[in-house]
Amino acid sequence: MKKQDVIISRNLEQSLEEAIARCPHDRLFILTDETTQTQCWPVISNFTCLQEAQHITIRPTDDHKDLESLAHVWSELGRLGGTRHSLLINLGGGMVTDLGGFAASTFKRGIAYINIPTTLLAMVDASVGGKTGINFNGLKNEVGVFNPASTVILDTEFLKTLDRANLCSGYAEMLKHGLISNEENWNELLRFDLDNVDYKKLQDMVATSVAIKERVVEEDPFEQGIRKALNLGHTAGHALESLAMKEERTVLHGYAVAWGLVCELYLSTLKAGFPKEKMRQAIYYIKEYYGTFPFTCKEYDQIYELMTHDKKNTSGHINFTLLGEVGDIRINQTAEKEDIFQMLDFYREVMGC
């Protein structure tokens, strides 16, 4: 898999102009959703390098990261004269970069694309690493390909357009990166004040978080080994997110990851000896900033069934990434149904369900 350029931008127009110049093209397209068209496009609309760009807009939120939206992007690329030599810029959050990256990777057997993530979640997770895709059959990211953007441009100026919930959503992935890296990074994340955001400081922390992910992806681009570390919190988190979708009480992805971390840090304590004090510290932080996702024991079987569809599973076993300590990563860990139900009991108890 080719390596992508990740730019921590101090001059967005110059960064974008240089990124476009590295991708010779006949036509230029920009994909937004209805929210980023209103909130984020005005930030770059006067850039000289974008004056000939043609626009494609899709409906917002993860509910629309589906075949219908994907088909709309394909149709618009074709209607507007796109060829295999065209270039697509994805301006938006993780939904836009995931779906836009998949559309670019499959239109005319693949065209180049650039990601300009506009949410914290997209900056530290969705737009970096080459994963693209859509939700399908009620399951998160069920269909997609590995294909990195030519360039990812990160500029925290866009984060000033976010509400607190979306800022917290992205920060959950940064918490995950802290847990798989080292004590210094983890403790810095716990000290950061999400209620009074220092955007200059946040830009530096985003750079650190992205560097952690880049190192892992470079070592294991197709998720055969250590890249599974990035799935900490996601086996349980994706199941809760899918349950929320099925029950039409959709939650932000990062919130589901945070709740998944509660579950999987408990499993880490149970199976890998993760320190109980650090587990409680993480749970206290998550409960304070993310609240809880309530469910009852009647939904355990459904949550378990959703976990069986996780892409990391092998030979019928549900696969988790666990920790023995902060930075001590244990991939390919399995748990029996009894352990998972015990994990769900623990979650409901500590989170006040």
Side-chain angles (χ1 to χ4, degrees):
M1 187 167 72
K2 65 181 184 290
K3 182 176 173 59
Q4 63 187 180
D5 289 325
V6 179
I7 308 299
I8 310 297
S9 178
R10 305 293 179 180
N11 183 325
L12 183 56
E13 183 169 12
Q14 180 181 338
S15 298
L16 182 54
E17 184 176 344
E18 292 171 354
I20 291 172
R22 287 194 293 271
C23 295
H25 57 277
D26 56 2
R27 285 180 173 81
L28 179 63
F29 299 92
I30 293 184
L31 177 67
T32 59
D33 65 23
E34 291 166 356
T35 301
T36 53
Q37 176 67 23
T38 301
Q39 299 293 325
C40 301
W41 168 243
V43 176
I44 64 174
S45 61
N46 64 342
F47 288 3
T48 302
C49 58
L50 297 178
Q51 294 313 298
E52 295 183 3
Q54 300 186 79
H55 291 255
I56 302 172
T57 302
I58 55 178
R59 290 179 292 176
T61 77
D62 209 65
D63 292 343
H64 297 116
K65 195 170 82 172
D66 56 16
L67 272 175
E68 182 180 351
S69 296
L70 178 65
H72 174 70
V73 176
W74 284 334
S75 296
E76 287 297 280
L77 287 170
R79 184 182 69 82
L80 295 169
T83 75
R84 67 185 309 174
H85 305 293
S86 297
L87 173 64
L88 177 66
I89 297 173
N90 298 315
L91 177 70
M95 185 277 243
V96 171
T97 60
D98 276 2
L99 187 146
F102 188 33
S105 301
T106 47
F107 181 73
K108 303 288 187 184
R109 294 198 177 98
I111 63 174
Y113 73 98
I114 293 167
N115 282 338
I116 307 176
T118 60
T119 67
L120 185 56
L121 180 63
M123 288 182 186
V124 299
D125 184 50
S127 69
V128 175
K131 285 186 178 180
T132 71
I134 61 168
N135 304 331
F136 184 68
N137 273 351
L139 299 171
K140 283 284 297 178
N141 302 321
E142 181 74 352
V143 181
V145 298
F146 287 95
N147 182 38
S150 170
T151 305
V152 179
I153 302 173
L154 308 180
D155 191 321
T156 51
E157 186 68 25
F158 288 113
L159 300 184
K160 295 175 182 178
T161 68
L162 290 184
D163 58 24
R164 184 179 182 278
N166 277 284
L167 195 70
C168 287
S169 181
Y171 204 75
E173 292 285 356
M174 295 176 68
L175 292 173
K176 177 199 72 179
H177 290 158
L179 283 166
I180 66 173
S181 59
N182 56 62
E183 295 273 1
E184 181 182 1
N185 187 25
W186 172 238
N187 290 326
E188 181 182 44
L189 288 161
L190 292 180
R191 290 193 300 267
F192 189 72
D193 188 352
L194 282 170
D195 291 319
N196 297 285
V197 178
D198 178 343
Y199 288 95
K200 186 176 184 300
K201 174 67 173 173
L202 183 59
Q203 177 130 332
D204 293 336
M205 293 170 67
V206 166
T208 299
S209 197
V210 169
I212 292 167
K213 181 167 185 177
E214 280 192 294
R215 285 197 299 270
V216 173
V217 170
E218 187 171 353
E219 184 176 345
D220 177 23
F222 296 108
E223 203 172 278
Q224 301 302 305
I226 193 60
R227 183 166 177 165
K228 295 176 184 178
L230 298 172
N231 288 309
L232 178 67
H234 283 64
T235 300
H238 275 164
L240 294 178
E241 192 172 4
S242 294
L243 177 68
M245 288 172 61
K246 286 177 178 292
E247 296 181 347
E248 297 185 349
R249 48 180 180 137
T250 304
V251 298
L252 292 170
H253 172 72
Y255 279 67
V257 169
W259 301 322
L261 286 173
V262 172
C263 294
E264 293 178 26
L265 287 178
Y266 170 76
L267 273 189
S268 294
T269 299
L270 185 69
K271 291 184 164 292
F274 187 80
K276 289 183 179 179
E277 181 180 343
K278 291 180 181 176
M279 176 190 70
R280 294 191 191 99
Q281 180 188 38
I283 290 170
Y284 177 83
Y285 188 91
I286 289 167
K287 191 173 181 180
E288 178 180 1
Y289 283 104
Y290 297 87
T292 189
F293 177 75
F295 55 85
T296 71
C297 56
K298 294 179 182 178
E299 292 164 295
Y300 283 14
D301 282 313
Q302 189 175 3
I303 294 170
Y304 179 83
E305 173 63 21
L306 288 166
M307 286 185 192
T308 66
H309 292 280
D310 192 279
K311 294 180 285 297
K312 300 183 300 300
N313 295 341
T314 56
S315 304
H317 295 290
I318 297 178
N319 195 309
F320 292 88
T321 292
L322 304 179
L323 298 175
E325 243 296 0
V326 173
D328 179 11
I329 302 158
R330 312 286 180 88
I331 63 170
N332 298 327
Q333 303 296 300
T334 60
E336 301 302 320
K337 189 172 186 179
E338 179 181 352
D339 296 324
I340 291 171
F341 278 23
Q342 185 177 336
M343 174 188 78
L344 297 176
D345 280 339
F346 174 82
Y347 171 92
R348 291 179 59 229
E349 179 182 347
V350 298
M351 299 297 281
C353 292

